[in-house]
Every structure is written in C-alpha cells, then in structure tokens.
Amino acid sequence: MSHIQKSTFDFLTELKANNSREWFADNRAKYEAALADVRSFLTDLIAALSEFDPKINTSIQASKCLFRIYRDTRFSNDKTPYKSWFGAGISVDGRKLQGPEYYIHIGAENSFIACGYWRPEKQHLEAIRQEIDYSGNKLDEILKKTVLTGGNIALFKEDLLKRAPAGYSEDNPFIDFIKLKSFVLDRSLTIKELSAKNALDNIVASYKSMLPFKEFLQEAIDTE
C-alpha cells in the first residue's frame, strides 16, 4: 500500500538543516530518490481520487501537480534557496487551476492536506460569496458533516476580511463565511501517519469527506 518513505522525511530534515546549493548538489541523489517517492505516492493518490471525483482522472500527471522545490528569493528576506517540503496541487490542470482543488504538503516539520480554493480571482470570489448568501445553510450543513466524518478537518479561518465586503451586512447570518478570502478545509498530518502503510487510504478518506465542500465551490463558480 502506498505511503511516504521515511527516507524522504530524512532528506527534508537534512535539507532544512543544510539549506545551501553546495549541500544540495552533494546530495542530489537523495533529492531525486525523495522526489521519485513523492511522485509515486501522488500517482496513486490521483488514481484513488479519480474513483469518486469526476473532476479528477488518471491522465493527470504527478509531475504537473508538484510545485518546484526551488524558492523564489527575489522579494524575500529569507534567501535560503530551497523549500524543506514537497507541495502538490491536484486538479485537471495540475497545480495551475483557477478553481477548487486538492493540495498536499509533505514537510520536514509540518505536513497537511487541504481542499478548496485559495485566494479566488475576483469574479470567482464574488460568485462564491453570492452562493453563500443564497445557500449558507447548505454550506453550514456540509461543514458540520465534514467535521463529524473527516476527523480533525477544519475550515481555514485566518485569511479573512476585518469588515463585511461591499454589498453585505455584518448582520448577515453567514457573514463569517462571506468574509473569507480563501475557502479551504485542511487537516494536519504527522510523519507517522504519512509513512504508515495505510497512509493513502487515510488521506483519501479525508479528501472524500471534503468533496461536498469542493463541489459547493465548483457549483458557485460554474453558475456565475
């Protein structure tokens, strides 16, 4: 059964402690092995997602979903050249979708899975907020059911407006949802969970419980 190898986490831990181009070059073989491990896991994950999500199919390539490990340091005070994690966005357009998708983050210090729409473009954001205004009860029911069935899944609430957006009142019963700038469910994972033999089944079960939330967002932008 598919899982992340312990050696992949060992590489990421070493990379975090030795984040330089020289060290990376000397340990290129470890990186390639870790990358192959993550690609293999993603391939199995995509196949599993395709069994219940019609937006996902097995023609999606793991390599198109993975984000580069190289950091863009041009506008950052942190000049370390590499990320100490692997990240992947899984959608019909790989990591580049403007819409709801799955995300997985495999890191030396923290790992998690997520599902939703991070920072929607303006038209999509307006459509989602309108759908919440019209069908907030439905979203509330979806979230309650997801939390009950999906373990430690939570709605990401840190990316939100301080005031109600234009056209909405603070008295709106769903204003806490409407204020969100990103619409994402996430679940933290331990190294032990990701390296366990049942890692894939465990993650897929959580993603499956997140599917109604993803479909709510998709329906909102499809009818904009």
Side-chain angles (χ1 to χ4, degrees), residues 41-199:
F41 184 81
L42 286 175
T43 299
D44 291 343
L45 179 56
I46 290 166
L49 291 173
S50 72
E51 293 181 4
F52 62 85
D53 187 340
K55 293 287 185 181
I56 304 297
N57 61 72
T58 54
S59 68
I60 298 169
Q61 298 178 27
S63 59
K64 299 293 185 182
C65 297
L66 272 165
F67 290 92
R68 286 161 54 89
I69 200 167
Y70 309 99
R71 295 185 63 252
D72 183 351
T73 61
R74 291 173 297 173
F75 309 107
S76 175
N77 292 327
D78 180 1
K79 298 302 181 182
T80 51
Y82 307 103
K83 303 168 187 173
S84 56
W85 65 86
F86 290 104
I90 303 171
S91 77
V92 67
D93 291 326
R95 64 183 181 276
K96 297 181 178 180
L97 181 71
Q98 286 295 316
E101 64 178 355
Y102 301 98
Y103 178 77
I104 184 166
H105 187 98
I106 300 166
E109 292 188 320
N110 71 306
S111 299
F112 63 91
I113 57 172
C115 178
Y117 199 161
W118 179 260
R119 290 291 178 98
E121 58 183 39
K122 186 175 184 293
Q123 285 184 316
H124 287 174
L125 179 60
E126 291 173 352
I128 291 169
R129 284 177 171 159
Q130 185 177 70
E131 186 65 22
I132 292 171
D133 188 31
Y134 292 161
S135 306
N137 283 323
K138 179 180 178 181
L139 176 60
D140 193 42
E141 290 173 6
I142 288 171
L143 292 173
K144 287 177 180 176
K145 185 175 181 180
T146 301
V147 171
L148 284 173
T149 61
N152 59 334
I153 293 172
L155 180 68
F156 184 77
K157 296 181 179 180
E158 295 177 27
D159 194 29
L160 78 167
L161 298 171
K162 292 182 178 179
R163 299 183 181 87
Y168 296 96
S169 166
E170 289 285 352
D171 295 330
N172 189 300
F174 309 112
I175 196 61
D176 289 343
F177 296 147
I178 292 169
K179 284 182 178 179
L180 293 171
K181 293 189 287 185
S182 295
F183 302 87
V184 176
L185 292 172
D186 60 29
R187 178 197 164 193
S188 61
L189 294 167
T190 64
I191 291 176
K192 183 178 180 180
E193 286 174 311
L194 276 168
S195 57
K197 298 297 184 183
N198 66 340

